[in-house]
Amino acid sequence: MFSKFWPDEQIDQIFDLKPEKLKEQGIKGIITDLDNTLVAWDVKDATPDVIAWFKIMEENDIKVTIISNNNQERVTVFSEPLGTPFVFSAKKPLSRAFKTVAKEMDLNKEEILVVGDQLLTDVLGGNIAGFYTVLVVPVVQTDDKKTKFNRLVERKILKRMPVKDNRRKEE
């Protein structure tokens, strides 16, 4: 019952996703959450590290699209300066936005990784849609009011998650 909430992998931060490793796994696209995955939920713009990460992915022909449940203004202000495609008001965990982005990327599900900080939206949505999912530690431990309830439920699910350390190892 809980297996749809379990990610395929866990990492500490988005920067742990390295293009060389992704290519070895056959990954050509990343669908990423925005708030508390790329930057803190209350940070308006991409940080220099995030900008550099997007640039590295682009240089390595790895497509990145942001999918967020947040509003149009929030997601547009963050995404447009990066020149990256985005979906706002995505209604995660529903799979429609994930499938639409995969089609726009012109990639198969096996070539796309979904990364986010929430089990109830990012991981569940990615799993329902049939993608490889990666749970990232939230950038900050505070949340927008809308997310606080999800975190309560998430803690209960995390207690049931099988214990395994499948974080990427640096080589």
Side-chain angles (χ1 to χ4, degrees):
M1 174 179 163
F2 287 97
S3 63
K4 286 287 185 195
F5 294 100
W6 298 336
D8 293 301
E9 189 172 333
Q10 299 172 57
I11 59 174
D12 291 324
Q13 55 187 348
I14 194 86
F15 312 115
D16 292 339
L17 295 173
K18 307 283 187 200
E20 309 78 36
K21 287 279 195 189
L22 295 172
K23 286 180 175 185
E24 285 175 18
Q25 294 178 304
I27 300 297
K28 298 177 181 176
I30 298 172
I31 295 173
T32 182
D33 176 49
L34 169 54
D35 295 317
N36 265 351
T37 299
L38 296 172
V39 295
W41 63 273
D42 56 352
V43 171
K44 185 175 101 170
D45 300 312
T47 63
D49 286 343
V50 169
I51 294 167
W53 183 81
F54 270 86
K55 185 174 171 71
I56 289 169
M57 292 302 158
E58 182 181 356
E59 289 169 354
N60 283 274
D61 297 318
I62 297 175
K63 300 174 183 182
V64 181
T65 299
I66 296 171
I67 293 184
S68 175
N69 283 346
N70 215 320
N71 63 54
Q72 182 176 2
E73 180 182 357
R74 162 67 173 142
V75 183
T76 302
V77 165
F78 183 88
S79 303
E80 281 188 347
L82 293 170
T84 192
F86 60 91
V87 176
F88 61 89
S89 302
K91 298 182 180 162
K92 295 180 289 182
L94 299 179
S95 62
R96 184 176 184 172
F98 294 98
K99 291 177 179 177
T100 299
V101 167
K103 193 176 225 178
E104 289 171 0
M105 286 182 168
D106 195 27
L107 298 173
N108 297 319
K109 288 180 184 181
E110 301 77 30
E111 298 173 309
I112 300 172
L113 174 151
V114 173
V115 62
D117 69 300
Q118 289 189 64
L119 293 176
L120 297 181
T121 56
D122 309 311
V123 172
L124 179 59
N127 284 341
I128 289 171
F131 296 100
Y132 187 88
T133 55
V134 177
L135 180 67
V136 66
V137 175
V139 174
V140 293
Q141 296 305 309
T142 60
D143 287 299
D144 182 62
K145 287 182 277 184
K146 298 175 280 190
T147 307
K148 288 183 181 184
F149 175 77
N150 284 1
R151 295 290 187 202
L152 289 173
V153 175
E154 194 171 85
R155 280 193 278 283
K156 293 179 188 291
I157 294 169
L158 284 169
K159 287 180 183 176
R160 297 178 184 266
M161 189 181 295
V163 178
K164 62 180 177 177
D165 186 6
N166 58 353
R167 293 172 193 247
R168 291 177 184 266
K169 304 289 186 236
E170 287 298 316
E171 294 177 7

